Amino acid sequence: MFHSRRSLSVRQLWKQRCITPSRGQGEGAPSNPEDLHNALRPAVHQILKKLKDEQLCRLLEAVESRGRWDCGCIWLPWEARGGKQVLPPQVLLCRLYRWPDLRTTTELKSLSHCENFWRRSGDATSVCCNPYHFSRLAAPGNDGERRGAQQEVALVSPCFSLTLSFSHHEQKGTPLPSTRRESSPTSPSLKGSIRDGHWCKLAYWEHRTRVGRLYSVSEPSVHIFYDLPKASGFCLGFLGPEPRNERVRRTQKKIGQGLVLSQEQGEVWVYNRSEHPIFVNSPTMTTFCARGQAVHKVLPGYSIKVFDSEKAADLSGRSDLRDGPCDTHSVRISFAKGWGACYSRQFITSCPCWLEILLSTSK
């Protein structure tokens, strides 16, 4: 009976494999996912054989929920073998269930809730192979993909926009003043620090109106979502009444699992957990130019560094790089809708649902 139950779990796991090419896949990706699966099948079954029954059930729950529920780490002994081109188990399972075009571990980033994240690479004799404990690594200014005639835009696609910070309007639902251009002065960086109990504050906006109060973040990472069972963090669905604007309602449905924001040794990272792209603007992600700052498109499943404290300090002391007022400790993220030179929305205040991240400083 137990053997049959295990065989059933293995069959169910094989059925859950990704049967469509990953979005934005680049040159060298398999043209037919089934060809890839047939090539990976022996190695994958060897991994599944090594997993205990409890681990198999945990892996099945993770892939069936597509990461909606954190099922914990799934450990497997692993040591790199010199001279043999053997893919690590986390790469194999990520290729099978998430990204068929994935090549090496250098394209992956452990998420902050995975124990792999806190381990030294040289000390590891085992590795977590939960495919939803990893994100695909994106870097601003490096498309990493080539565009075909009908191919989707690259995983990080820069457009340009003017940048401002708006959260000096402290009252709930305070609308921005109606202007033809976003030309109001920026709010100063928050004069706080992690010693004050938070490292950043979050503001949620719908077009030009902020909804709800500022949300302070003191934990190293925070999950930001709209409506998701078995989740804790910043729930946007609890902030206000049902919006009357139809565009806002449609965009809210696309937020889904939202994103994870994490602080990592002077850097801030964003992981896109939703099934739709997010669009990010941050002064430290790009150099300034006459056209303003870049707005980066980040596809589902990817992580990107949105803040670097060393670069922020450098930018703060160089007024020659800034095209108008700017807060180097402010990051803006739009859900599902982009803005800037590549889109019909020139400013982020034209986006239905967006997030402002105000990072604390130690000054």
Side-chain angles (χ1 to χ4, degrees), residues 294-310:
V295 177
H296 302 277
K297 177 181 179 180
V298 183
L299 293 182
Y302 283 81
S303 285
I304 191 168
K305 181 169 66 175
V306 298
F307 178 79
D308 186 306
S309 58
E310 293 184 1

Side-chain angles (χ1 to χ4, degrees), residues 121-137:
S121 57
D123 297 340
T125 58
S126 60
V127 64
C128 174
C129 57
N130 185 337
Y132 288 94
H133 274 198
F134 296 89
S135 66
R136 197 85 180 263
L137 193 61

Side-chain angles (χ1 to χ4, degrees), residues 60-129:
L60 182 59
E61 185 178 1
V63 298
E64 285 182 337
S65 70
R66 298 188 181 278
R68 289 184 180 88
W69 306 326
D70 182 19
C71 304
C73 292
I74 302 170
W75 296 103
L76 194 69
W78 169 257
E79 292 183 7
R81 302 174 184 176
K84 287 190 176 182
Q85 298 296 325
V86 180
L87 287 177
Q90 70 271 34
V91 174
L92 282 168
L93 294 187
C94 283
R95 290 184 73 178
L96 186 68
Y97 294 115
R98 303 191 69 184
W99 306 292
D101 62 320
L102 183 68
R103 296 180 182 88
T104 67
T105 55
T106 58
E107 300 174 52
L108 292 176
K109 181 182 185 299
S110 295
L111 299 176
S112 57
H113 58 271
C114 178
E115 292 183 38
N116 261 349
F117 180 82
W118 305 101
R119 303 172 102 195
R120 295 182 180 178
S121 57
D123 297 340
T125 58
S126 60
V127 64
C128 174
C129 57

Side-chain angles (χ1 to χ4, degrees), residues 252-291:
Q252 285 177 342
K253 293 179 181 178
K254 295 180 179 180
I255 294 176
Q257 298 184 59
L259 55 89
V260 174
L261 184 71
S262 61
Q263 182 196 47
E264 305 173 15
Q265 298 179 344
E267 301 174 346
V268 177
W269 287 77
V270 167
Y271 167 49
N272 183 7
R273 286 190 58 171
S274 74
E275 297 180 356
H276 297 271
I278 59 175
F279 297 81
V280 183
N281 167 248
S282 168
T284 67
M285 291 176 69
T286 183
T287 56
F288 289 77
C289 67
R291 292 182 294 171

